[in-house]
Structure formats: structure tokens, C-alpha cells
Amino acid sequence: MPVRPHLLAACVALGLAACTSVPVGKTAAATQPALTAQTLNSGGTMPAEQARVHFDHAELHFAVDPAAQSIDASATLSFTAKSATDTLLLDLDRNLPISAIELGGQPLAAGSWSNPDGRLRIRLPAPLAAGGKVSVTIRYGGKPHVAKKAPWDGGFVWSHTADGQPWVASAVEGEGCDLFWPCIDQPQGEPDLVDTYVTVPKTLAAPGNGVLVGIADEGDRHTYHWRAKHPDTYAISINVGPFKLLKADYASRYGNTIPMELWYLPEHAAGAKQLFGEFPRMLDFFEQQIGPYPFGDEKMGVVETPHLGMEHQTINAYGNGYPKSEYGFDWLLQHEFSHEWFGNQVTNADWDDMWLHEGFGTYMQPLYGQYLHGDMAYFAMLHTERTALKNKYPIVSGHSQTEHTVYDAEHGPGNDIYYKGSLMLHTLRQLIGDKDFFDTVRRLVYGRPDPKPGNFQPRYASTDDYVAIVDQVTGRKLDWFFDVYLRDAALPRLDEQRDGDTLKLRWVTEHGKPFPMPIEVQVGDTVHTLPMRDGSGQLQVPAGSLLIVDPRSKVLREMPHVEAYQQWMKQQRAARAARK
């Protein structure tokens, strides 16, 4: 199974060797049953049975046994029928045996349901009409799939702290929520509300998504009850450990108060306090640049994990080791936190639209560097991203995709959904200007230009939705821009020819698509803008004059020197491998 680049992408983009380190106490996955193809895949075309229902509420109970590396669980799931149906179709790893299923509190006969391959089919005793409601309780348990190298492959991480105490986390973006709870494993499978109950030994804590409703004592154990609104299915997480808690309130520029929480291991207190000190700056940046923190009535939460990290809604996983950075901020925390806006507030309608999460999320790092320190950090990060582009597959295929295909660089765009998405957004910003650019981002994220706490809800969006937003805001038709950058694999090439003192420029695209991208040309001390309305333009450049095409690095395009560098690096890696 190929390694997923989800977080490695941002690591490479910022050149941080620490990203490849393995946290202290991490244990390798033991021999375990194989996952079915159904469970391995997340997304794709939603089955008709799942499209017929709206997911109202999930009540999830987990008793976590770190010593046995097992869970005893139940899930009560409530749905409203959008159209008539006689079946509930859910996703759950078949390696977590089901002991009983109840419908409306009544036990179902074993013959009423089946789960041969990880797709749980429950036959309703009577058809459910449109508008009808149904509640099903599924009791199950066992040993959840163990990740070998989370978060690049999904599953649980059963680890220990330096002093031998249990340290547990889940990270399931790639394979999906069905690795540990029965769900609709689709981007559009979000429940309206999730109540999660996690029972652990009293020596341990269980930070979770949303608001802490309460902690109930149960002898030598206690149960944490968390409540979250509209969480991404893969963003629901289990976290267990001997955590300490840092808490404070953030006074938002929008008038509300946002609780901040960092759950950390006691031996890392110094690093945790330093990281916690970055929270207010990050909140200020996002709220100033994008808009209100989407979950201000819940919390900005972070938990230390025995894997690198993941964007778990309101409880972001962090395992970056509290490093110092040449850019003055922790890229991992900032990247995962960006997904509260790009991923959790606005969710891709299909995995084919995943650049909306990762492209925007990656662009937030250079933007934050610019916010903190100016243009040097901004362009340095963008240039590092530029050297990592592959340009083998389009970012957007135009048809429904699974998560695996999108992230697999051998058969899909892979890391380009991060880097190319980010660099394309930089180019779009230069093309339409800051005012319009950030207006389009706000409309994408919140569905409106004037977001305030309480006047928006989490939403879904597609690539076409964003293109329509850009056209609406700018009053221009910019399909040509997105067609080339998103739907072509190759970057546009700027062909340069000299005819005496005349410089002739012409855009060349992979499939001959129109590309009227304006280009700046510096001649001597003067910068000229060529409109390139028909994809070409020319300018008088006296012999011997200083000539710089695109002097402010505004346009993402093919760059021979970058491709030459990439080829040289490939040769160097091959040579090193041959010497081993």
C-alpha cells in the first residue's frame, strides 16, 4: 500500500527534516487481519442507499483498553430519509465484530443485516418514507486496525510515554471513519451532531472533539463526554494519555471569546507552553485574513500525539516535537489549524476536490510567514513548494474519486494538491488583487461575504463552486485560468522569441487551451504589463537592455531551471541509493 503524503507534503515544502522522525515510544503494528478493499477506500461515488438519508446524530461510546489494545463500543445513529428507503447502508471494518443491532430499541434478527466486506447493510422491517426518521444502535468491538506509520496510513497508534504510561491516538483520514465506528465514509457523510463518550482508566485523560459536556466517575475508570457539531467523519478522534492541560481564553476581533486548550505530556511542559503561546497569533491571523474561527463556541484545541499530526476538528493532533523554525512559527500546528477553515468549515464535496483543503491549507503557511515577517518568508516558502511540483496528473479529474487515488502520486496528483494548489492561489491573488482574492476565499469558506459568529454553518463546496465564486466577485470569466492550472497536468509554458529589438511572447498550454494571462516584463528600470489577450504579446527591448520576465514572480509557469534542478536531485538520490 503506498505511503500517503498528507503531512509529509507540508514537511517537504518547508524543508523540515524533523518531519521524518518517529516519536518516542511508538510501537510497530502487530500482525493483524487485512483490510478489505471496501474499508481501505474512502469516498468515490456515494451509493444510492446512503444518498437517500440525512445523518442527524451519532452517539458513540468507546471503552478503551490500552493493555489489550482493544475497544468495546456501541454507536446509536439517527437518520432522516430524504427519499423512501428500505435499507440503511453504513461502513464499518468487518474486523470489528458486531454483537447486536437494535432498531428503535428493538433487537434485529441476525439475518436482517450483513457485513461481509466492510459495507454494513441493514434491512429495515418496513420501508421508511421520505421525511421519516430511524435510529439504529450497533454494538461491536475488538482490536481496531493499527497504523504502521500514522498518519500516512490509517488506524490506531498504541504507544507509551517515556515513563511507560499508555499513549493512544487515532488517525484515519485515508481509510476513513469506518476503521473504528460505523459511518457513511464519504466527504458528504458528516453527521449534524456527534456525542462521543470515551471510557479510560482514571490515571488517563481522553481529550476529544467539540465541547466537554462532563466527566462521569465509574470506579477505577471515568468517561469523558464530548459534543461536536458537523464534524468531518475522519475528524472524529480518540486520544488517551496522562495529559496535562493548558487553558486560556482568546478575545476575538468579532466580539466572542474562544476557549483555547492544549493537552500535553508532562515531560514536554516547556515546549507545550511555548507552543501554546503561538495560539493567539494564529487565531488573529486567520480571523483577520479569512474570517471568524468557525468553532468559537466549542474550542481551539490541540492534543499531543504519538504521530506527527492530523486536522481533527477542534482537537488537532500534534506530534511535531516542539521545534524551533527559521520562520518563527510551528508549521505543523499552523497547517493543521488551517484545516479548521479549509476542511472542517468548508468540506470538499468529493475527494476530487481535495485541493480545496490542501491547496488553501498549504498556502496559509507562506501567507502566515508574510503576516509575521514580510515578503522574504513568503517567497522563500513558495519557492520551496515550486521545486517539489510533479505536474504528472491534473489536480482535478472531473469525476468522483477515492482518497487513495487523489493522494497516490503514482496514479493521481499526490503532493501537487498541496503545492500546485498553493502556487496557483498565489498566481490568482496576483491576477485579481488582494481585495477580490480574499473576498472569494471568505465566500468559499462561509458561503457569504460577511461572516460573523452565528451567521454561518459548515458547508460543502466543489471546484466548480469556487470557480463560480471567483467569476461572481471579479465580474470576469476566469474558466481559462482554472482549466489550465487544475484540469491540465502540465504547467503553461511562456515561449520567448527575439526578432531584432522585438521580444515576442506566447503562452503554450498542454492541450492548446486559451490562456490570456497577463505577464510583466522589466526592461531596464521600467516594468511593462503585456495583456496577452490572445495568448501572445510583444515588446521593444533594445539590445543590451536588462530584461526580466515576470520580475515579481507572479505567475506559476514552466521554468527550465527548476526542472533541471529536479532532474539533478533525482539523479543524486539514485546515486545514493546505488551506493547503499
Side-chain angles (χ1 to χ4, degrees), residues 501-516:
D501 286 349
T502 302
L503 172 68
K504 296 181 178 180
L505 301 177
R506 181 175 62 93
W507 285 113
V508 179
T509 60
E510 184 176 13
H511 296 104
K513 296 177 181 177
F515 192 67

Side-chain angles (χ1 to χ4, degrees), residues 279-323:
F279 284 23
R281 284 191 309 175
M282 291 188 183
L283 273 164
D284 181 67
F285 162 75
F286 280 104
E287 290 210 317
Q288 183 176 169
Q289 204 81 63
I290 310 302
Y293 176 57
F295 309 102
D297 57 346
E298 297 182 13
K299 67 178 182 298
M300 175 191 177
V302 175
V303 59
E304 188 172 355
T305 55
H307 64 82
L308 186 60
M310 182 62 71
E311 65 268 22
H312 296 147
Q313 190 166 309
T314 72
I315 190 68
N316 281 302
Y318 174 86
N320 200 30
Y322 308 103

Side-chain angles (χ1 to χ4, degrees), residues 539-560:
L539 185 68
Q540 291 301 113
V541 180
S545 299
L546 172 68
L547 171 65
I548 308 175
V549 177
D550 192 21
R552 303 295 178 261
S553 302
K554 292 183 176 182
V555 181
L556 174 61
R557 58 193 172 101
E558 182 181 298
M559 304 287 280

Side-chain angles (χ1 to χ4, degrees), residues 113-453:
W113 55 270
S114 63
N115 187 28
D117 62 353
R119 181 147 275 170
L120 173 59
R121 183 176 294 272
I122 303 170
R123 188 173 70 252
L124 301 179
L128 189 67
K133 294 183 180 295
V134 64
S135 176
V136 61
T137 298
I138 301 160
R139 305 188 190 283
Y140 65 101
K143 292 181 177 290
H145 186 76
V146 178
K148 295 179 180 178
K149 190 177 181 183
W152 293 278
D153 67 315
F156 268 55
V157 180
W158 302 94
S159 187
H160 293 87
T161 60
D163 60 356
Q165 297 188 73
W167 189 18
V168 184
S170 65
V172 299
E173 179 183 6
E175 290 77 2
C177 46
D178 51 340
L179 283 187
F180 72 102
W181 65 280
C183 60
I184 295 177
D185 187 16
Q186 295 280 340
Q188 297 196 51
E190 295 180 6
D192 290 341
L193 186 70
V194 175
D195 283 279
T196 306
Y197 299 79
V198 184
T199 302
V200 295
K202 276 190 176 176
T203 55
L204 305 173
N209 305 93
V211 173
L212 181 61
V213 178
I215 305 175
D217 284 341
E218 301 175 12
D220 61 350
R221 303 191 301 173
H222 54 186
T223 297
Y224 281 72
H225 174 195
W226 296 92
R227 177 171 294 155
K229 292 177 288 188
H230 301 283
D232 275 6
T233 53
Y234 70 79
I236 296 170
S237 65
I238 300 293
N239 303 282
V240 178
F243 300 114
K244 298 294 184 182
L245 175 61
L246 288 170
K247 296 180 65 174
D249 288 333
Y250 175 78
S252 166
R253 63 179 53 240
Y254 290 93
N256 59 318
T257 299
I258 302 171
M260 300 183 297
E261 297 183 2
L262 172 56
W263 299 76
Y264 66 97
L265 297 183
E267 58 265 34
H268 300 152
K273 288 177 182 177
Q274 177 180 311
L275 186 69
F276 191 63
E278 294 187 32
F279 284 23
R281 284 191 309 175
M282 291 188 183
L283 273 164
D284 181 67
F285 162 75
F286 280 104
E287 290 210 317
Q288 183 176 169
Q289 204 81 63
I290 310 302
Y293 176 57
F295 309 102
D297 57 346
E298 297 182 13
K299 67 178 182 298
M300 175 191 177
V302 175
V303 59
E304 188 172 355
T305 55
H307 64 82
L308 186 60
M310 182 62 71
E311 65 268 22
H312 296 147
Q313 190 166 309
T314 72
I315 190 68
N316 281 302
Y318 174 86
N320 200 30
Y322 308 103
K324 292 290 185 181
S325 164
E326 67 271 40
Y327 296 113
F329 67 95
D330 191 300
W331 74 269
L332 186 282
L333 177 60
Q334 207 272 353
H335 180 82
E336 300 310 334
F337 189 45
S338 72
H339 285 306
E340 299 285 25
W341 284 262
F342 308 102
N344 299 335
Q345 166 56 29
V346 61
T347 302
N348 53 263
D350 189 278
W351 283 107
D352 196 39
D353 304 301
M354 194 58 185
W355 76 272
L356 293 173
H357 291 205
E358 303 297 13
F360 277 97
T362 300
Y363 188 48
M364 291 304 110
Q365 280 86 74
L367 273 181
Y368 190 49
Q370 189 174 45
Y371 163 86
L372 292 174
H373 308 299
D375 286 351
M376 183 178 289
Y378 176 79
F379 281 105
M381 286 187 240
L382 286 177
H383 183 66
T384 304
E385 292 175 7
R386 178 64 184 86
T387 62
L389 291 191
K390 302 296 185 184
N391 302 310
K392 289 184 178 179
Y393 293 89
I395 291 179
V396 176
S397 72
H399 56 81
S400 187
Q401 298 253 52
T402 65
E403 186 274 353
H404 173 80
T405 302
V406 173
Y407 280 95
D408 180 5
E410 295 301 315
H411 304 94
N415 287 358
D416 279 3
I417 64 174
Y418 296 80
Y419 311 138
K420 197 170 181 179
S422 171
L423 291 159
M424 182 206 70
L425 291 171
H426 161 73
T427 299
L428 179 63
R429 181 184 171 198
Q430 311 311 308
L431 178 65
I432 66 177
D434 278 14
K435 181 178 182 300
D436 281 356
F437 175 76
F438 288 108
D439 190 8
T440 69
V441 178
R442 275 185 288 276
R443 290 171 188 257
L444 169 69
V445 171
Y446 303 101
R448 59 190 301 161
D450 58 345
K452 297 176 183 177

Side-chain angles (χ1 to χ4, degrees), residues 35-114:
L35 297 175
T36 66
Q38 173 60 45
T39 300
L40 277 171
N41 282 326
S42 178
T45 302
M46 181 181 282
E49 298 93 332
Q50 294 184 340
R52 290 175 192 148
V53 297
H54 177 80
F55 201 162
D56 300 322
H57 181 228
E59 181 180 310
L60 309 177
H61 293 260
F62 302 98
V64 181
D65 185 342
Q69 296 189 0
S70 68
I71 59 173
D72 183 18
S74 71
T76 298
L77 314 176
S78 302
F79 302 92
T80 299
K82 295 190 288 186
S83 60
T85 186
D86 60 359
T87 301
L88 286 179
L89 190 65
L90 304 172
D91 299 296
L92 178 66
D93 182 8
R94 69 176 183 182
N95 298 319
L96 293 173
I98 296 172
S99 58
I101 295 181
E102 300 171 5
L103 199 69
Q106 299 300 312
L108 280 181
S112 299
W113 55 270
S114 63

Side-chain angles (χ1 to χ4, degrees), residues 443-503:
R443 290 171 188 257
L444 169 69
V445 171
Y446 303 101
R448 59 190 301 161
D450 58 345
K452 297 176 183 177
N455 76 352
F456 60 88
Q457 292 288 332
R459 60 191 302 267
Y460 297 105
S462 67
T463 299
D464 288 343
D465 291 331
Y466 184 60
V467 175
I469 289 170
V470 172
D471 288 352
Q472 177 190 2
V473 169
T474 62
R476 301 158 64 180
K477 288 290 290 180
L478 293 177
D479 304 62
W480 58 267
F481 178 91
F482 296 101
D483 281 349
V484 168
Y485 282 126
L486 294 180
R487 297 182 175 95
D488 277 357
L491 290 175
R493 174 170 59 85
L494 188 59
D495 183 60
E496 302 180 23
Q497 300 291 333
R498 294 293 295 264
D499 183 4
D501 286 349
T502 302
L503 172 68

